Amino acid sequence: MGYGELNIRNYNPQKDRARVEDLERRCEVGPAERGFLFTDTLGDPICRIRNSPIYNMIVAELNNQLVGVIQGSIKLVTIHKPPKNLARVGYILGLRVAPLYRRRGIGSSLVVRLEEWFIASGVDYAYMATEKDNDASFKLFVEKLGYVKFRTPAILVNPVNCPMYRISSKYEFEKLKVEEAESLYRKFMSSMEFFPSDIGNILRNKLSLGTWVAYPRGESWGEILPSSWAMVSVWNSGEVFKLRLGNAPTSCLMYTKSSQLMGNLVPCFKWRGIPDFMHPFGFYFIYGVCREGPMSGKLVRTLCRLVHNMAAKCRDCKAVVTEVGGSDTLRRHIPHWRLLSCPEDLWCIKGLKNEERESFYELIKTPTTRTLFVDPREV
């Protein structure tokens, strides 16, 4: 490279913890024109992968300076490819390169090293997620490293604010036991793309706050399910890391200030404003949204409002977030603000085994209308 010898190695907690945290603080996430996010890992740089079945962090040093980092996790998921429907996938996340050391090939070197670890671990496919207008990420993964556009799910964000939602008395709610929730997920969602084989471990994790169902009042929940029902699970991401918005768009700042002013001047109107995202905040992530029946859309919306009210009681929780397939009609029923949401997150994928090249081509040609399961451990 002409800048000294680049040393790429596995993360060493004793040696690297403070330096990785410092790098995170100096690296923004997201395009500047929409505002970018800073991540506070709360003293644990591998917090975003620690709950995955298998994980690794790799760092890059140049002239004794830690200049880059990348994380990866491995799991077994449903993925529709002949002749079998399960695959071992590696998820790439947390790629960071220090601002002064960018455009020197450090990012690509980190990705290649992580891919080598994936291959040694028997991974079939590597995948990553980025915003569709993140040109630097697109050029690196798609144009340089051979990844292919795969799915474009929508990230839906609903700010947590007062007053709380009024919950309709037309519906009944129950919190399920983990065993019952796991059984329902395996029955109704196991054929969904990227459904994790270890769903039970996710539901039993201390960060999973529980699984709730809603159904029409007057019907009962039992072995025979109601005529319409909906189910969601909730993950407390704020216990893992905090976010902070930097360089917020002018429209967002103006709306925040004006809504706060209106709320102070006319509190009787119960004005809904945007919370303060300029200071560190956490969020709840809704995952495993499942529904059946003609009233299920309304039931999903009601459950999302219930989660909002739960989040409002958590001191640092400022948003409720979920992610659904790009063509999934479910998004119509999930409360969210367009100003804060991302209509097209970009998932890219790459086959790592030459002998499965034909299966890979079949995979990327499958319709994008298929429902997608988003693992809360990878948010």
Side-chain angles (χ1 to χ4, degrees), residues 93-164:
L93 72 161
L95 175 59
R96 308 280 189 268
V97 176
L100 294 178
Y101 292 87
R102 292 172 183 171
R103 297 179 179 84
R104 301 187 187 186
I106 295 172
S108 58
S109 296
L110 283 166
V111 176
V112 169
R113 179 62 63 87
L114 186 62
E115 287 179 348
E116 291 172 354
W117 176 69
F118 283 158
I119 293 170
S121 302
V123 167
D124 299 296
Y125 304 100
Y127 72 106
M128 50 76 68
T130 185
E131 290 194 348
K132 71 168 186 175
D133 47 5
N134 188 331
D135 292 335
S137 185
F138 183 86
K139 289 178 180 178
L140 172 61
F141 283 94
V142 176
E143 296 182 5
K144 186 173 183 179
L145 296 175
Y147 284 72
V148 178
K149 294 180 184 179
F150 180 55
R151 295 290 180 261
T152 54
I155 301 174
L156 308 178
V157 181
N158 194 31
V160 172
N161 43 31
C162 291
M164 294 188 181

Side-chain angles (χ1 to χ4, degrees), residues 136-286:
S137 185
F138 183 86
K139 289 178 180 178
L140 172 61
F141 283 94
V142 176
E143 296 182 5
K144 186 173 183 179
L145 296 175
Y147 284 72
V148 178
K149 294 180 184 179
F150 180 55
R151 295 290 180 261
T152 54
I155 301 174
L156 308 178
V157 181
N158 194 31
V160 172
N161 43 31
C162 291
M164 294 188 181
Y165 285 111
R166 294 183 62 182
I167 304 299
S168 174
S169 59
K170 297 179 181 179
Y171 311 121
E172 298 274 7
F173 305 94
E174 284 191 31
K175 184 178 181 180
L176 301 182
K177 294 181 179 179
V178 169
E179 294 77 16
E180 185 178 4
E182 180 179 357
S183 176
L184 286 169
Y185 277 128
R186 292 196 184 280
K187 180 178 180 179
F188 290 97
M189 300 186 77
S190 61
S191 62
M192 182 180 292
E193 269 189 342
F194 279 77
F195 180 83
S197 65
D198 66 334
I199 182 65
N201 291 336
I202 298 175
L203 295 170
R204 291 178 178 86
N205 191 291
K206 65 180 181 179
L207 296 173
S208 193
L209 301 181
T211 302
W212 284 264
V213 292
Y215 52 94
R217 183 173 293 278
E219 300 189 39
S220 60
W221 185 266
E223 291 186 7
I224 300 177
L225 298 179
S227 58
S228 292
W229 58 274
M231 176 172 66
V232 302
S233 294
V234 184
W235 186 269
N236 187 3
S237 298
E239 288 295 316
V240 181
F241 60 93
K242 294 287 192 294
L243 298 173
R244 176 175 62 83
L245 184 64
N247 192 33
T250 304
S251 58
C252 183
L253 290 172
M254 291 180 64
Y255 192 95
T256 300
K257 294 298 183 182
S258 61
S259 61
Q260 289 173 350
L261 178 62
M262 290 296 294
N264 292 331
L265 291 176
V266 282
C268 59
F269 284 112
K270 298 183 178 180
W271 188 271
R272 287 190 183 274
I274 299 179
D276 180 9
F277 292 130
M278 309 304 163
H279 294 88
F281 66 92
F283 64 94
Y284 283 178
F285 185 78
I286 295 176

Side-chain angles (χ1 to χ4, degrees), residues 337-356:
W337 285 25
R338 290 185 180 181
L339 178 65
L340 304 175
S341 301
C342 174
E344 286 192 12
D345 197 31
L346 177 62
W347 285 26
C348 298
I349 193 167
K350 178 180 180 178
L352 298 180
K353 292 182 177 179
N354 290 331
E355 63 269 22
E356 294 195 2

Side-chain angles (χ1 to χ4, degrees), residues 24-130:
E24 281 282 359
R25 283 191 289 268
R26 289 184 286 129
C27 291
E28 70 280 0
V29 180
E33 61 270 16
R34 288 187 54 191
F36 44 75
L37 292 170
F38 292 101
T39 305
D40 181 355
T41 58
L42 306 178
D44 182 11
I46 61 171
C47 62
R48 293 184 64 195
I49 55 175
R50 185 179 293 281
N51 293 289
S52 297
I54 305 172
Y55 59 86
N56 193 16
M57 175 184 276
I58 297 172
V59 300
E61 287 181 313
L62 190 62
N63 299 326
N64 295 320
Q65 297 289 322
L66 194 144
V67 297
V69 64
I70 195 170
Q71 303 178 47
S73 61
I74 299 173
K75 62 182 179 180
L76 189 67
V77 302
T78 299
I79 196 163
H80 298 278
K81 64 181 186 64
K84 56 184 180 179
N85 285 334
L86 292 177
R88 198 169 171 88
V89 296
Y91 181 54
I92 299 173
L93 72 161
L95 175 59
R96 308 280 189 268
V97 176
L100 294 178
Y101 292 87
R102 292 172 183 171
R103 297 179 179 84
R104 301 187 187 186
I106 295 172
S108 58
S109 296
L110 283 166
V111 176
V112 169
R113 179 62 63 87
L114 186 62
E115 287 179 348
E116 291 172 354
W117 176 69
F118 283 158
I119 293 170
S121 302
V123 167
D124 299 296
Y125 304 100
Y127 72 106
M128 50 76 68
T130 185

